[in-house]
Amino acid sequence: MFGMTKKQFLKKSKNCLKDTGIQLLLIREIFSKESTGKLDFDNAYHKLDKIRKNMENIFFKFEGLKPPSKCKSLQREILNTLIILQEVIVVNSEYIMLSKDGFTEESQEKFKKSIDDLENFRNKFRELSQKIDLYLRR
């Protein structure tokens, strides 16, 4: 059986980033509520858990692709970026649990780390989106 063409892989990559972008919007909504103090801890934790499961599905679906050899580095770059977002979700879940249990100083450190990591993800995500768009226009 033949593998994917470069164009097929780029289209699947674009879809992966689109699906990830939807999850990113949901995460940012939760972060926004956290920073304003209008957060229901249980509800936010369940939403983050659902987002985490969605991200796992996106990750494993993309990881299972068989791109052409010249696209392997792009696949690894996308997978590494998805891992960063998964780590953001985990750190923010820890923040929620610590806040719920009253550990304010530790929870604020987790919240700051999740915000910083999310910004790192957003920068890498933007670069990848632009790179894939550029490759698809060629």
Side-chain angles (χ1 to χ4, degrees):
M1 180 176 230
F2 295 105
M4 302 175 83
T5 65
K6 181 178 179 180
K7 187 161 185 147
Q8 288 171 328
F9 176 73
L10 290 172
K11 285 183 178 181
K12 297 245 184 219
S13 298
K14 182 77 173 168
N15 287 335
C16 172
L17 293 180
K18 185 181 110 190
D19 293 342
T20 302
I22 293 168
Q23 302 306 309
L24 176 60
L25 291 174
L26 296 171
I27 292 168
R28 290 193 61 202
E29 177 185 353
I30 293 169
F31 278 33
S32 175
K33 287 180 182 177
E34 288 172 348
S35 58
T36 60
K38 301 175 182 175
L39 183 68
D40 173 13
F41 292 119
D42 291 328
N43 189 25
Y45 185 81
H46 290 296
K47 282 183 181 180
L48 275 177
D49 193 48
K50 187 173 181 181
I51 293 169
R52 182 189 56 77
K53 289 176 185 172
N54 290 341
M55 286 307 304
E56 283 179 4
N57 289 337
I58 292 168
F59 180 88
F60 289 124
K61 183 177 175 185
F62 190 75
E63 182 185 39
L65 296 179
K66 304 285 187 234
S69 59
K70 57 188 166 193
C71 295
K72 286 282 190 185
S73 64
L74 179 60
Q75 183 185 30
R76 278 191 302 275
E77 192 175 347
I78 292 171
L79 290 172
N80 287 336
T81 303
L82 294 176
I83 289 170
I84 292 170
L85 186 58
Q86 290 172 323
E87 289 173 353
V88 167
I89 294 167
V90 169
V91 170
N92 199 263
S93 295
E94 291 172 355
Y95 155 74
I96 289 172
M97 295 308 294
L98 287 169
S99 293
K100 186 177 177 182
D101 293 340
F103 298 107
T104 56
E105 187 176 318
E106 294 173 44
S107 68
Q108 288 306 309
E109 290 174 19
K110 293 286 184 181
F111 183 63
K112 182 170 177 5
K113 179 170 176 23
S114 65
I115 294 287
D116 293 344
D117 290 350
L118 183 64
E119 191 58 35
N120 179 29
F121 166 79
R122 288 179 59 216
N123 291 332
K124 290 182 187 273
F125 183 80
R126 187 177 320 115
E127 290 172 12
L128 281 171
S129 293
Q130 291 171 348
K131 185 186 288 188
I132 290 170
D133 287 343
L134 181 67
Y135 288 153
L136 280 171
R137 280 190 229 136
R138 291 183 183 173

